Amino acid sequence: GGGGAVILRSLLGSKELMNVIWLTLTAPNQPMENVITLQSGSAGRGPRSVGKDTTIYAGVLSREVLRIAKARNVAAIWVVMHNAAVPIAANMIRAGRFPVHLTVHDDPAFANALRSKRYVALVPWIESRFAYAIKRAKSTDVICSAMDDRYRERYGVCSVVIHRALDASIRAGLLYDAERHGLRIGVLGSTYSYEPLPLLARAVELAAQRLNLPGRL
């Protein structure tokens, strides 16, 4: 789920999508083909806990991923480096059974954990697992050139930049009526600081005024 899955699915063709087994720590709202919810972490024991999955359950989750990979005879493991996937990726690489590719949309230690109140104490652990994985992965893709520069300087690795964008305008959905719904702008992904948000809200407000429509962010 989330913005990461939207990006990945948009990069894959229909045939490629059918050849991917998706493993997730958060069960989808409805059953989906080729999607497996991991059961050995906190989700299989009660309320979901990102902290526990990233620390005490990371080992058993990694072993579950390896069992599935072996049973399905997969060619490689592709990990989106977010939350508990970070130590899982490090464990997959240490096991040495499959080539591992990493995708980084948000820096796990310094963009997510460090800026949170709940997981700031885990920053050293997350960063150590991230460093181990990115230095030894078969390949890595990142979201922008600044991230590529950062990881080259900090970890000595080169990444492929995949800056996902649309090359043409898209048609409005059949259910969307500007007169009835107004100007609606959606944000998908993480916000790292507060300062840009009022600027975005002001831009939406100004655009809505020019269009003579109600605005919503």
Side-chain angles (χ1 to χ4, degrees):
V6 171
I7 292 174
L8 297 185
R9 289 180 180 276
S10 72
L11 294 171
L12 298 172
S14 56
K15 183 178 180 181
E16 293 166 322
L17 281 171
M18 293 304 299
N19 288 328
V20 174
I21 303 164
W22 302 80
L23 305 184
T24 176
L25 288 159
T26 306
N29 294 329
Q30 57 188 16
M32 299 176 65
E33 191 174 6
N34 286 1
V35 175
I36 299 174
T37 303
L38 300 176
Q39 298 296 316
S40 55
S42 61
R45 309 163 194 262
R48 169 84 194 287
S49 169
V50 171
K52 290 180 180 178
D53 287 340
T54 304
T55 54
I56 62 176
Y57 294 140
V60 293
L61 284 165
S62 300
R63 290 191 286 275
E64 183 179 2
V65 172
L66 274 177
R67 287 196 300 271
I68 295 171
K70 293 175 185 176
R72 299 297 186 98
N73 194 29
V74 303
I77 295 177
W78 182 358
V79 184
V80 179
M81 298 294 275
H82 192 71
N83 291 338
V86 175
I88 290 174
N91 290 339
M92 296 297 100
I93 292 170
R94 182 184 291 112
R97 297 296 300 268
F98 303 94
V100 178
H101 173 79
L102 309 181
T103 285
V104 189
H105 291 144
D106 305 284
D107 186 273
F110 302 114
N112 285 336
L114 184 63
R115 293 169 185 255
S116 73
K117 294 180 179 179
R118 182 174 295 179
Y119 305 118
V120 66
L122 294 178
V123 168
W125 163 252
I126 296 171
E127 206 268 337
S128 71
R129 298 296 82 206
F130 182 84
Y132 180 92
I134 199 169
K135 289 178 180 179
R136 296 165 177 82
K138 187 75 172 178
S139 54
T140 303
D141 72 82
V142 296
I143 206 70
C144 63
S145 58
M147 184 178 279
D148 179 35
D149 293 341
R150 160 83 168 171
Y151 293 160
R152 183 183 295 108
E153 178 182 346
R154 187 174 183 86
Y155 305 116
V157 300
C158 295
S159 307
V160 175
V161 177
I162 299 181
H163 191 181
R164 189 71 177 101
L166 299 174
D167 57 7
S169 299
I170 59 173
R171 289 176 296 180
L174 296 177
L175 299 179
Y176 181 75
D177 182 348
E179 293 295 327
R180 186 156 53 95
H181 296 118
L183 175 66
R184 298 192 297 181
I185 304 297
V187 178
L188 177 65
S190 300
T191 53
Y192 299 126
S193 60
Y194 174 76
E195 289 78 10
L197 292 179
L199 297 178
L200 177 59
R202 180 60 178 158
V204 173
E205 182 182 36
L206 290 173
Q209 289 174 357
R210 292 173 183 172
L211 295 171
N212 195 28
L213 294 171
R216 180 181 181 186
L217 176 61

